[in-house]
């Protein structure tokens, strides 16, 4: 497994707003994810349900507290 790339909040927002990346709340708990949801984000459950339809080159940004 390779190193995890990190990004700044400003760069993450730019990429999500431009449609260049998915923004995923990385909490298993839907309740916790609902409390921590940021603008443009999707839950981990929503992400998992879309896995089969995502392009292999799709950039994904996971976030948590």
């Amino acid at each position: 497994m390779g190193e995890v790339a990190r990004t700044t909040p400003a760069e993450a927002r730019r990429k999500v707003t431009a449609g260049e990346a998915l923004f995923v709340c990385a909490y298993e708990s839907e309740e916790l994810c609902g409390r921590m949801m940021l603008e443009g984000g999707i839950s981990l459950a929503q992400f998992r349900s879309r896995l089969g339809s995502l392009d292999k080159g799709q950039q994904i940004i996971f976030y948590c507290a």
Side-chain angles (χ1 to χ4, degrees):
M1 182 181 285
E3 186 175 324
V4 174
R6 299 202 179 261
T7 189
T8 65
E11 183 65 7
R13 181 176 176 88
R14 186 197 68 73
K15 287 181 178 183
V16 170
T17 302
E20 298 173 7
L22 286 179
F23 200 38
V24 182
C25 182
Y27 292 106
E28 289 283 342
S29 164
E30 285 291 313
E31 179 184 339
L32 182 55
C33 192
R35 291 194 312 249
M36 304 300 275
M37 188 63 66
L38 297 176
E39 183 180 342
I42 62 172
S43 71
L44 192 55
Q46 290 170 315
F47 169 71
R48 287 181 174 146
S49 73
R50 294 173 59 180
L51 273 177
S53 64
L54 293 178
D55 183 292
K56 291 188 182 207
Q58 175 67 58
Q59 186 171 19
I60 303 161
I61 301 171
F62 292 95
Y63 73 90
C64 60

